[in-house]
């Protein structure tokens, strides 16, 4: 099993869209996949057809509370099946509360890892959709992960925020999870009509290319991709012959090629 955290503390860069469409892409390649939503916004749940995540009875929060308190639980608890063949564990607004209570918990950085280790025989890939911050829940995701995939939006030069993220990944690696790798940076929302993305890609390669894999395949800017987040389907079903579906299928193959499994 491989665990990939999809992280960037900048909001709206395509983390959730990438989590859903890479996850379902891996399912389409025959893999058993679980998506974990580590974000109180509940956007992943909405993308997978849950209209009101805040009304869900059981979420990641309940499961993590049980792990933190050493209460036994059913491994399937809270995990939902989405019709395109992917399993997911949603989250909602209650995750905000958990983030603050975790501060007082023993091994607070490893709660999510403890949970995921229990699931390792059930899945080939677990993808964690991180929230746009570097708080305790995101640290838990980085500690639980084998690698981090970083979506970067191609609208401006992401220099500073990206450096902070890479620094945090380095700290987690030194102090908590020495195996943690960077899966790569994927450029999202690329407008194929302009050369702007090419420029950003070149600058990313110059600045980080020596240490970090930069994915060959970029995710194009696509209205259809934006629509899927409210439509409750993946890009493969919603716009199967579009450029975004093609982009995510190519990213999926690159991730498969990158890793073992
Ligand atoms: P947050 O930080 O809030 O969790 P995020 O990084 O998860 O955001 P998404 O929710 O995936 O980002 O995407 C942000 C917005 O951009 C959404 O409205 C989504 O539909 C849209 N979007 C994502 N990918 C694309 C794309 N390739 N083309 C156009 N719009 C996109
Ligand atoms: Mg998101």
């Amino acid at each position: 099993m491989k665990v990939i955290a999809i992280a960037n503390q900048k909001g709206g860069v395509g983390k959730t869209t990438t989590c859903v469409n890479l996850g379902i892409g891996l399912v389409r390649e025959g893999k058993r996949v679980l998506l974990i939503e580590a974000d109180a916004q509940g956007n992943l749940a909405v993308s997978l057809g849950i209209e009101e995540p805040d009304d869900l009875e059981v979420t990641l929060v309940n499961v993590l509370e049980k792990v933190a308190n050493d209460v036994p639980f059913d491994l399937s608890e809270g995990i939902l099946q989405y019709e395109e063949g992917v399993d997911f564990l949603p989250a909602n607004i209650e995750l905000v509360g958990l983030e603050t209570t975790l501060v007082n918990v023993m091994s607070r950085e490893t709660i999510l890892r403890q949970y995921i280790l229990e699931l390792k025989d059930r899945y080939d890939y677990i993808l964690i959709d991180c929230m746009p911050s570097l708080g305790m829940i995101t640290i838990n995701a980085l500690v639980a992960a084998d690698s981090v995939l970083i979506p970067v939006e191609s609208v401006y030069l992401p220099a500073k925020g990206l450096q902070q993220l890479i620094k945090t990944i380095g700290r987690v690696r030194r102090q908590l999870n020495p195996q943690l790798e960077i899966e790569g940076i994927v450029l999202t929302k690329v407008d194929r009509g302009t050369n702007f993305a090419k420029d950003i890609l070149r600058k990313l390669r110059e600045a980080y290319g020596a240490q970090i894999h930069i994915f060959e395949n970029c995710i194009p800017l696509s209205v259809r991709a934006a629509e899927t987040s409210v439509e409750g389907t993946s890009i493969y079903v919603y716009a199967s012959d579009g450029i975004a579906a093609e982009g995510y299928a190519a990213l999926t193959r690159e991730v498969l090629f990158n890793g073992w499994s």
Side-chain angles (χ1 to χ4, degrees), residues 8-18 39 41 43 47 129-132 151 153 188-190 219-230 244 248:
N8 188 338
Q9 79 277 23
K10 182 164 183 340
V13 298
K15 294 180 288 295
T16 302
T17 307
T18 299
D39 187 353
Q41 296 181 95
N43 291 342
S47 298
D129 178 28
C130 293
M131 66 178 86
E153 194 181 355
T188 62
K189 302 190 187 180
V190 170
I219 306 302
L221 182 74
S222 141
V223 179
R224 318 284 310 265
E227 286 166 353
T228 56
S229 19
V230 284
Y248 274 114

Side-chain angles (χ1 to χ4, degrees), residues 23-51:
I24 293 175
L26 289 166
V27 167
R28 293 163 71 94
E29 298 286 339
K31 303 297 178 190
R32 297 169 303 164
V33 181
L34 172 69
L35 311 178
I36 296 181
E37 174 160 45
D39 187 353
Q41 296 181 95
N43 291 342
L44 182 92
V46 172
S47 298
L48 296 174
I50 307 285
E51 284 175 21

Side-chain angles (χ1 to χ4, degrees), residues 1-4 26-27 29-33 120-127 146-147 183 252-261:
M1 180 189 66
K2 182 166 188 176
V3 182
I4 304 177
L26 289 166
V27 167
E29 298 286 339
K31 303 297 178 190
R32 297 169 303 164
V33 181
K120 73 171 186 297
D121 298 332
R122 298 191 172 196
Y123 297 102
D124 301 310
Y125 282 89
I126 295 184
L127 307 185
D146 296 300
S147 68
E183 190 74 36
T252 303
R253 288 191 295 272
E254 227 182 308
V255 166
L256 282 169
F257 186 77
N258 249 357
W260 28 271
S261 163

Side-chain angles (χ1 to χ4, degrees), residues 30-223:
K31 303 297 178 190
R32 297 169 303 164
V33 181
L34 172 69
L35 311 178
I36 296 181
E37 174 160 45
D39 187 353
Q41 296 181 95
N43 291 342
L44 182 92
V46 172
S47 298
L48 296 174
I50 307 285
E51 284 175 21
E52 299 288 349
D54 290 347
D55 293 346
L56 286 167
E57 299 261 320
V58 184
T59 66
L60 174 70
V61 178
N62 308 77
V63 176
L64 292 187
E65 273 169 358
K66 289 187 176 164
V67 176
N69 296 316
D70 251 332
V71 176
F73 63 96
D74 177 353
L75 274 185
S76 312
E77 193 172 323
I79 296 181
L80 303 176
Q81 271 93 36
Y82 179 63
E83 60 195 35
E84 289 179 54
V86 79
D87 284 3
F88 68 108
L89 179 57
N92 62 22
I93 191 71
E94 289 174 29
L95 195 65
V96 175
L98 181 74
E99 177 123 42
T100 43
T101 52
L102 266 188
V103 173
N104 300 311
V105 167
M106 202 197 301
S107 347
R108 61 191 181 202
E109 292 99 350
T110 60
I111 305 296
L112 184 56
R113 173 159 71 189
Q114 290 175 51
Y115 170 63
I116 283 179
L117 280 176
E118 302 277 329
L119 293 172
K120 73 171 186 297
D121 298 332
R122 298 191 172 196
Y123 297 102
D124 301 310
Y125 282 89
I126 295 184
L127 307 185
I128 309 171
D129 178 28
C130 293
M131 66 178 86
S133 88
L134 295 172
M136 191 51 71
I137 301 288
T138 301
I139 299 298
N140 262 267
L142 297 178
V143 170
D146 296 300
S147 68
V148 195
L149 193 155
I150 309 171
V152 166
E153 194 181 355
S154 64
V155 288
Y156 75 118
L157 269 181
K160 264 219 174 117
L162 200 52
Q163 258 161 27
Q164 197 193 349
L165 176 61
I166 291 167
K167 227 169 111 184
T168 303
I169 292 168
R171 271 183 48 214
V172 169
R173 193 186 284 141
R174 281 189 300 281
Q175 299 179 12
L176 295 157
N177 180 10
Q179 267 83 50
L180 182 63
E181 289 176 8
I182 298 183
E183 190 74 36
I185 294 174
V186 61
L187 207 59
T188 62
K189 302 190 187 180
V190 170
D191 185 348
R192 289 190 171 174
T194 72
N195 283 323
F196 191 55
K198 273 196 197 118
D199 201 35
I200 293 185
L201 207 53
R202 185 174 50 76
K203 289 191 169 133
L204 275 175
R205 287 217 170 90
E206 273 168 24
Y208 302 105
Q211 320 114 276
I212 299 176
H213 176 71
I214 318 268
F215 282 98
E216 290 297 326
N217 297 288
C218 301
I219 306 302
L221 182 74
S222 141
V223 179

